Amino acid sequence: MTAGDPFERFAGVPGTHLVGRAIDTAVRVPSSVIRTHVEQLRRRNPEATPAQILAILDSEFLALVQTTGGAVGGTAAIPAVGTAVAATLTAADVAAFFAAAAAYTLAVADVHGVEVDDVARRRTLLLASVLGEDGSRAVAAAGVSPAAWARVGLATMPSTTIQRVNKVLAGRFVKKHLLRHSSVLLGRLVPFGIGAAIGVLGGRALGKGVVTQARAAFGEPPTAFGPLVRVVEVESAGAPPQLVPAPPLAGGPSGGDPQTGQPTED
């Protein structure tokens, strides 16, 4: 775990290190990767509305997490491989799930016109989406309306508030969803092919929860694509961030190599 990781205080809880490390890696995907993917979807579907692009993102994400879950469960059913190797693959599966969830939620933010580079704010979005209603309640406790909270909260909450919310989200995740997620993962290790079915269903159930909460976090999609704004941290930890126009991708929206700016640290 890295400095500023809200899971650090739960280091003694089994599985927490794995989840914390997976989330820490997932939230560091370059914004250029997210923007490039959304731009590619828009170029392939030039008449698509923001709502239609979101529907494509939903389908992509659900297909990915479902396929990953079934693959691990199926591996456990192969006698020559067994549950020992499948358990190793499950650790990679956890990382793959959070990476996909982070990329999906950041893409949803992009469609809504918001680019988030700060690692801590990305953790808030990812954890709140995975936690569902518990995530919304944790954000509401920080004084942000749970209705479309991400569209407003990510752009207005000071970094000190974000850090406080992340500690609450991490605690709720460890106490409630870590056990639930583990049970799904263990289901993928059941031999004789049953694990594959549980893996597919479990992965899709987890994915649907993320989709539902990410959609609720941002509210109704815009009717048309507008300019993209970037959330930029300020020197005062108690002050809200600034919103500035997001710079264009290298090569422009019509193609070319994307820029390679990594997310900022906490």
Side-chain angles (χ1 to χ4, degrees), residues 8-264:
E8 188 172 7
R9 62 196 177 106
F10 300 105
V13 179
T16 301
H17 178 73
L18 171 64
V19 170
R21 184 175 57 187
I23 291 175
D24 187 64
T25 300
V27 296
R28 295 174 188 275
V29 57
S31 292
S32 60
V33 173
I34 305 300
R35 290 178 61 187
T36 297
H37 182 59
V38 173
E39 288 288 346
Q40 288 173 341
L41 291 181
R42 292 179 61 186
R43 286 198 298 271
R44 290 199 295 265
N45 303 274
E47 304 300 322
T49 64
Q52 291 170 327
I53 294 296
L54 286 175
I56 295 173
L57 290 169
D58 294 349
S59 298
E60 287 181 341
F61 172 60
L62 291 174
L64 178 60
V65 296
Q66 176 176 302
T67 301
T68 303
V72 175
T75 302
I78 304 174
V81 177
T83 58
V85 172
T88 301
L89 295 177
T90 298
D93 187 33
V94 172
F97 171 78
F98 283 114
Y104 166 75
T105 54
L106 291 171
V108 171
D110 186 285
V111 173
H112 280 269
V114 180
E115 180 178 278
V116 183
D117 275 350
D118 182 60
V119 167
R121 292 179 193 275
R122 288 177 168 204
R123 281 197 187 104
T124 303
L125 179 59
L126 176 57
L127 283 171
S129 297
V130 173
L131 274 168
E133 291 299 324
D134 273 348
S136 297
R137 283 192 288 268
V139 173
V144 178
S145 171
W149 68 264
R151 191 165 54 196
V152 177
L154 288 179
T156 60
M157 284 192 286
S159 60
T160 51
T161 302
I162 288 288
Q163 292 168 5
R164 186 171 67 251
V165 170
N166 281 346
K167 287 181 179 180
V168 175
L169 289 171
R172 294 190 180 189
F173 186 94
V174 169
K175 293 175 183 177
K176 298 185 68 173
H177 278 249
L178 183 58
L179 178 60
R180 182 180 302 176
H181 196 111
S182 295
S183 66
V184 171
L185 295 177
L186 289 175
R188 297 172 188 169
L189 304 185
V190 178
F192 309 119
I194 299 175
I198 297 176
V200 168
L201 296 176
R204 189 168 184 82
L206 289 168
K208 280 188 173 181
V210 172
V211 168
T212 298
Q213 293 307 316
R215 291 297 202 100
F218 284 96
E220 290 296 319
T223 56
F225 287 99
L228 188 68
V229 297
R230 172 177 289 180
V231 181
V232 178
E233 300 306 305
V234 296
E235 290 186 7
S236 175
Q242 292 182 340
L243 298 180
V244 301
L249 290 171
S254 61
D257 293 332
Q259 63 186 12
T260 56
Q262 291 290 334
T264 57

